[in-house]
Amino acid sequence: MKIVEGAESLFEKLTLWRRYLHEHPELSFEEVETSKFVANELAKIENVFVETNVGGNGIVATLTTGEGPTIAIRADMDALPIQEENDHSFVSKNDGVMHACGHDAHTAMLLGAIHLLAEQFREGKLSGTVKFIFQPAEESTDIHGLSGAPYMIQAGALQDVEAIIALHVCPWHPVGVVQMNNGFSMANVDVFEATIRGTGGHGGYPHLSTDPLWMLGSILQTFYGTVGRRISPLDIVAASIGKVEAGAVSNVIPSEVKIEGTLRSYSPEAREKLAEEVENVFKLAETFGGSYEFELEKGEPALNNDMEVNMIIEQSIHELYPGMQIHWEPFGMGGEDFGYMTEQIPGSMFFLGCSLEDGLDRDLHTPIFDIDERCLPIGTAIFVAAVNKFLNREELHHPLKRNSIQKGA
């Protein structure tokens, strides 16, 4: 499979970078050593301006000729609280922490892209500006309910940027396959906490109590019927309860039940409608003589892939790899805080096939997640080609206009 000039010679470095990062994963907001590693590698490249501690442990590296359009590429750097169960030679050395979502690969590919693009800038082949955004804390939020992307935005990482691209390794497609989608492609992610309150009482005298567990039965039935009966079937939504807490002993009716769950949606309108309807479900407690509390924490917005940016990526793929398969469909109901960035400026993320040919289901966020490292030079090459196409297209030497697509195809 052909790759852009120079990318093949980088394969060994890409693999070494990815494996080093895989051995030394760090959780969200704790990527101190990861950030140092990236900064040290960037210091080896000529004519790159490097800003560290951007919005926390983030890094922004810049190549520029001073004039022309500006594009950014983003990669995330954090890992997950998972104990790795792989047996390869570079398993995580940090107990209970693992790169189970491919951020080690994303970071390696972005380092590869800056090496190749820096050479093209030195040779005078490109004019304009490229920002390389190494983002912390994609996987988790802090006490303020914020992940890494909004902090980097607040710190000015997207200043003057006209378009931004990113990728995500994809274990449900093999190497040589890419998945893309126009418009909303991953979900708005909201988390709710609810409390149903009664009076509680003696388990032998239930008629003297107001039982919140009895109320919960009707509430659960209504909750799981909400998506099908209160939300338009044309909207893409999901609602799930993941935690229920109540009671301490068998003969005491508790006075309250605590429930936690998640709400997923694609469009802003569906997001608001779903939250409203779910709160209405918990109001049923009042009908049974109880009371309720409902709190909603809004997480990352839906990933909104810009059609024009997607066209640049698609054309780059076809020119590099004429036979490469591109699957056009949304990426699912998972969350991706790159959505904060595509909410601000036109941008797009594509999914890069990476599955190993070993017959195992090495899905994202599992203890056996792993990738076929042959995807690394491919992702790097697509980044480089897309930047070239963006900087060299005269019609794009002005800010892109946000496309109006509201649904994933």
Side-chain angles (χ1 to χ4, degrees):
M1 183 173 285
K2 183 184 73 173
I3 58 179
V4 294
E5 183 180 355
E8 187 170 20
S9 63
L10 265 181
F11 179 67
E12 184 177 355
K13 283 187 175 180
L14 291 167
T15 303
L16 290 173
W17 289 329
R18 184 257 165 167
R19 292 186 179 187
Y20 177 85
L21 292 166
H22 193 89
E23 282 187 283
H24 302 88
E26 294 177 296
L27 296 174
S28 300
F29 301 102
E30 299 177 11
E31 312 91 339
V32 175
E33 296 304 318
T34 302
S35 185
K36 287 180 181 177
F37 172 81
V38 171
N40 287 338
E41 291 300 320
L42 293 172
K44 301 174 185 178
I45 309 172
E46 295 179 16
N47 302 319
V48 177
F49 176 70
V50 180
E51 298 175 85
T52 58
N53 302 315
V54 181
N57 295 317
I59 294 175
V60 177
T62 305
L63 288 169
T64 185
T65 58
E67 294 183 357
T70 301
I71 187 171
I73 318 174
R74 172 269 202 179
D76 35 20
M77 302 189 295
D78 56 328
L80 286 157
I82 294 175
Q83 183 65 44
E84 184 164 9
E85 296 178 5
N86 289 313
D87 57 4
H88 48 57
S89 62
F90 51 94
V91 295
S92 171
K93 293 181 178 179
N94 296 339
D95 191 49
V97 185
M98 176 190 175
H99 271 296
C101 201
H103 297 185
D104 50 345
H106 302 168
T107 300
M109 285 184 272
L110 190 53
L111 282 172
I114 195 170
H115 270 273
L116 295 177
L117 288 164
E119 183 176 349
Q120 292 180 350
F121 268 83
R122 286 194 297 271
E123 294 173 351
K125 295 179 180 179
L126 293 173
S127 62
T129 300
V130 187
K131 287 189 175 183
F132 302 84
I133 297 174
F134 295 87
Q135 183 205 303
E138 190 279 327
E139 295 287 3
S140 187
T141 58
D142 62 9
I143 59 173
H144 305 294
L146 296 176
S147 57
Y151 284 116
M152 293 202 79
I153 293 169
Q154 292 169 16
L158 298 184
Q159 185 175 350
D160 300 323
V161 176
E162 298 167 42
I164 187 166
I165 57 176
L167 64 73
H168 202 296
V169 289
C170 178
W172 54 85
H173 288 307
V175 173
V177 175
V178 167
Q179 186 170 332
M180 300 180 67
N181 191 65
N182 289 323
F184 294 120
S185 304
M186 295 184 76
N188 298 297
V189 178
D190 299 325
V191 175
F192 71 86
E193 295 182 6
T195 302
I196 306 169
R197 288 198 170 90
T199 61
H202 194 296
Y205 305 93
H207 60 293
L208 300 179
S209 71
T210 304
D211 185 351
L213 281 170
W214 172 61
M215 303 175 204
L216 179 65
S218 296
I219 286 172
L220 286 178
Q221 286 185 329
T222 307
F223 176 89
Y224 287 114
T226 294
V227 169
R229 288 295 176 266
R230 300 295 296 173
I231 307 294
S232 169
L234 298 177
D235 286 319
I236 302 173
V237 298
S240 296
I241 290 173
K243 183 178 180 181
V244 177
E245 286 186 347
V249 294
S250 61
N251 64 341
V252 176
I253 296 170
S255 60
E256 64 180 30
V257 179
K258 293 185 178 294
I259 303 101
E260 296 180 18
T262 185
L263 307 181
R264 308 290 175 112
S265 56
Y266 267 25
S267 73
E269 296 79 15
R271 185 182 204 177
E272 297 302 319
K273 176 67 172 174
L274 181 60
E276 176 186 343
E277 292 297 338
V278 168
E279 180 170 4
N280 286 337
V281 168
F282 287 98
K283 287 182 181 179
L284 283 172
E286 297 175 345
T287 304
F288 297 108
S291 62
Y292 81 99
E293 290 182 5
F294 182 84
E295 293 184 5
L296 184 75
E297 179 183 292
K298 284 195 171 184
E300 57 262 35
L303 170 64
N304 188 6
N305 282 338
D306 184 89
M307 178 184 288
E308 193 170 357
V309 177
N310 260 349
M311 287 176 61
I312 295 169
I313 297 170
E314 181 187 15
Q315 291 168 10
S316 300
I317 292 170
H318 285 316
E319 291 175 8
L320 285 169
Y321 312 108
M324 179 173 281
Q325 298 180 51
I326 300 180
H327 288 263
W328 288 91
E329 59 181 325
F331 306 147
M333 300 304 286
E336 169 56 69
D337 86 340
F338 186 57
Y340 283 111
M341 296 186 176
T342 64
E343 191 177 49
Q344 297 293 317
I345 59 174
S348 181
M349 171 179 282
F350 63 95
F351 271 41
L352 181 72
C354 72
S355 64
L356 285 164
E357 298 174 348
D358 59 5
L360 297 179
D361 184 11
R362 298 182 180 274
D363 205 359
L364 300 171
H365 291 215
T366 66
I368 63 168
F369 173 77
D370 201 1
I371 67 169
D372 185 330
E373 291 173 331
R374 292 179 299 167
C375 74
L376 297 175
I378 297 173
T380 302
I382 294 171
F383 275 158
V384 172
V387 167
N388 273 262
K389 189 168 289 293
F390 178 87
L391 295 182
N392 291 326
R393 283 182 62 180
E394 291 184 3
E395 61 268 35
L396 290 180
H397 289 192
H398 59 80
L400 277 74
K401 295 180 180 179
R402 167 71 65 197
N403 77 71
S404 60
I405 289 183
Q406 294 298 308
K407 288 285 191 297

